[in-house]
Amino acid sequence: MSGTPSLDEIPVPAGIRSRYVRNVNGLTMHVLEAGFTAKAKPCILLLHGFPELAYSWRKVMLPLAASGFHVIAPDQRGYGRTTGWDGDYNGDLGAFRIPNASLRSAIAP
């Protein structure tokens, strides 16, 4: 799985944007963001568990952004619209480093 999928737009509330961040540990990560308009805000990274998606955080993202935070919710490896992972059972495990540590750097304005 690689590249950006050609999928329909995600119906997110006004104030939340959906976008892709390329080359985060070899992944193309789909993220939802709120509070991204002003620079130098503290960041909150919302991570979903199984079987959820970044979309699961949509109802808490705007209140957190209104409190002065840049809120980021990525689709984790193997979920939603994030692509580029190796689904092979005997695939390279080196790619399973924590991608979220470099996600903030990759999307910083």
Side-chain angles (χ1 to χ4, degrees), residues 17 19 33 36 38-40 70 104-109:
R17 73 177 171 188
R19 69 184 184 113
E33 290 181 275
F36 50 85
K39 294 183 179 183
H70 180 184
R104 174 65 174 139
S105 303
I107 66 173

Side-chain angles (χ1 to χ4, degrees), residues 81-94:
R81 296 172 181 230
T82 292
T83 62
W85 47 275
D86 182 2
D88 183 23
Y89 181 81
N90 292 318
D92 180 17
L93 294 179

Side-chain angles (χ1 to χ4, degrees), residues 1-5 28 83-84:
M1 299 182 76
S2 64
T4 304
T28 297
T83 62

Side-chain angles (χ1 to χ4, degrees), residues 9-102:
E9 290 291 319
I10 297 174
V12 293
I16 296 177
R17 73 177 171 188
S18 168
R19 69 184 184 113
Y20 293 91
V21 181
R22 296 188 184 278
N23 201 22
V24 178
N25 287 354
L27 301 175
T28 297
M29 292 197 81
H30 172 251
V31 298
L32 297 181
E33 290 181 275
F36 50 85
T37 54
K39 294 183 179 183
K41 286 185 171 184
C43 177
I44 294 180
L45 184 62
L46 302 174
L47 303 176
H48 67 78
F50 174 82
E52 303 293 332
L53 301 171
Y55 188 75
S56 304
W57 293 109
R58 72 193 179 284
K59 293 184 179 181
V60 299
M61 292 179 76
L62 291 175
L64 290 170
S67 297
F69 294 98
H70 180 184
V71 185
I72 304 166
D75 277 336
Q76 301 283 9
R77 174 190 319 272
Y79 293 90
R81 296 172 181 230
T82 292
T83 62
W85 47 275
D86 182 2
D88 183 23
Y89 181 81
N90 292 318
D92 180 17
L93 294 179
F96 284 89
R97 299 177 300 251
I98 299 175
N100 299 311
S102 57

